[in-house]
Amino acid sequence: MTTPPSTQGRITQRRIAELAGVSQATVSLVLNGKADASSRIPEETRKRVLDVINSTTYVPDPAARRLAGVGNKIIGVFTYEPAFPSASLDFYAALLTGIESEAEGLGCDLLLFTSAPVEGTRRRLFHENNRLRLADGCLLLGREMDTGELERLVESGFPFVAIGRREATGVPYVAADYVTGTAALVARAWDLGHRRFAYVHPDSTGESVLDRQRGFREELARRGVDADAVTAFIASDGDAPAGDWERVRDSGATVLFVENPTYAIGMLPHMARAGVSIPGDLSVVALADPSRSTDSDPDFTRLSPPRTQLGSEALALLSRILDPAAEVPPADLRLTLDCAVHDGATLARPRTTQENTR
């Protein structure tokens, strides 16, 4: 058989089936490592499918699912953002702890994919240097992921699980329920008498960022309030706390919601110079745990996402997907975990309400 020349376009299971002269089901069995004696697929047919895959799939395309890594018990970890600079490491540390713990229990080795360079602020999953095929499957980490790349990965048949909710069709993931947790904290602030809010968030369209905003808006809507009418939404890159504080101060807010506690910590010196105390003059609610805290930092009222559990549950799900004897129901491919609420000491009645009740 003469194999077709290498292509530079996207290869699909259907196209592989056409080129190999077999059914798409046969291709799926080969890609999933299930083309054994029990499948009744002749060895000659299996080799023909593999020949087509090897000749048509350029290196970064993981359509040759597990061909290089089958049975190696190697799990890849791909981070869209760098994992080890201090700011990122603080975010990823708990996730990686959960992944490592689960890997030990499963007897798997972890392979961190770093050959794809960071371009701008993110890596590309399908960069020519990336070698996903070295692993049996992969965990994907990152605030923002490319929807097109995720859909391409789904279509290729390569086994993976994303950490964090993803809009892309067919993507298996384990995520934190930021919507419900954020709504609960908005309800607390409202019930204490707060009516003017400021909300500082990263300039991002990542699903976790949007889910927090959704919970915020939906809770106010349940109370008959348009979030835009009572809230100053402030997009921040985290590098200009003085400017963020000026906008918070000018908004007249009595409670400040921050997605990242680091934003509030950066504003603390500017608040102090303005004579503003927490929570006496301004309540502060964080929608995540502090990455690093010191004895001088406030004990923030906040969401506490289960990051370590996210990591361990994601690998547990991936191990089920990789198990040739397991059938994972579609409902089990997307798991959402509750966020705990830490009471903290930075949310109180606004001063105007306190004065009116004396």
Side-chain angles (χ1 to χ4, degrees), residues 49-355:
V49 172
L50 293 179
D51 286 343
V52 171
I53 290 171
N54 290 331
S55 63
T56 60
T57 306
Y58 57 96
V59 172
D61 194 328
R65 178 188 183 206
R66 301 175 70 195
L67 294 182
V70 62
N72 286 341
K73 303 199 81 171
I74 294 176
I75 300 298
V77 178
F78 179 89
T79 63
Y80 274 86
E81 298 96 17
F84 292 111
S86 59
S88 298
L89 180 58
D90 293 338
F91 174 80
Y92 283 124
L95 293 174
L96 294 171
T97 297
I99 293 169
E100 181 183 32
S101 176
E102 186 70 19
E104 289 178 357
L106 294 171
C108 295
D109 289 312
L110 298 176
L111 175 61
L112 182 62
F113 289 110
T114 56
S115 57
V118 176
E119 299 175 347
T121 59
R122 291 192 300 167
R123 291 187 174 94
R124 286 191 295 114
L125 186 61
F126 286 90
H127 189 276
E128 61 184 6
N129 289 346
N130 206 3
R131 294 187 288 271
L132 291 183
R133 288 179 13 174
L134 293 175
D136 298 337
C138 189
L139 298 177
L140 304 184
L141 286 65
R143 178 191 292 166
E144 296 182 12
M145 299 184 187
D146 186 282
T147 297
E149 286 191 339
L150 293 179
E151 292 176 345
R152 180 176 173 183
L153 200 57
V154 169
E155 187 174 352
S156 76
F158 183 81
F160 75 99
V161 171
I163 296 181
R165 188 183 69 82
R166 303 300 158 188
E167 292 282 3
T169 302
V171 172
Y173 63 71
V174 178
D177 186 359
Y178 291 115
V179 176
T180 302
T182 301
L185 285 168
V186 172
R188 288 192 183 192
W190 185 272
D191 290 343
L192 285 171
H194 292 280
R195 297 296 182 267
R196 294 292 304 172
F197 296 74
Y199 190 128
V200 178
H201 60 87
D203 187 9
S204 169
T205 58
E207 284 88 344
S208 63
V209 176
L210 299 180
D211 282 352
R212 289 174 172 95
Q213 293 182 30
R214 175 185 159 198
F216 185 92
R217 291 178 178 277
E218 288 183 353
E219 181 58 33
L220 288 177
R222 276 192 287 271
R223 296 169 183 273
V225 179
D226 180 358
D228 291 317
V230 299
T231 308
F233 289 97
I234 301 166
S236 171
D237 61 9
D239 293 330
D244 290 342
W245 165 241
E246 289 178 4
R247 286 177 285 175
V248 171
R249 180 195 58 200
D250 294 344
S251 72
T254 61
V255 60
L256 167 63
F257 277 68
V258 291
E259 176 162 337
N260 188 335
T262 303
Y263 295 169
I265 292 170
M267 293 183 223
L268 291 179
H270 306 284
M271 295 180 188
R273 282 193 286 271
V276 174
S277 66
I278 297 174
D281 300 307
L282 178 69
S283 287
V284 178
V285 175
L287 301 180
D289 287 318
S291 296
R292 295 179 181 176
S293 59
T294 66
D295 292 340
S296 61
D297 291 338
D299 178 18
F300 288 107
T301 301
R302 64 184 185 271
L303 279 188
S304 185
R307 286 179 179 161
T308 300
Q309 186 183 2
L310 284 170
S312 61
E313 292 283 1
L315 182 48
L317 174 57
L318 181 57
S319 71
R320 292 179 62 195
I321 293 172
L322 287 168
D323 184 352
E327 292 293 336
V328 186
D332 290 353
L333 291 173
R334 294 187 165 188
L335 175 63
T336 303
L337 306 177
D338 292 336
C339 288
V341 172
H342 177 75
D343 290 335
T346 58
L347 176 62
R349 292 183 179 277
R351 188 177 296 280
T352 53
T353 301
Q354 294 172 355
E355 293 171 349

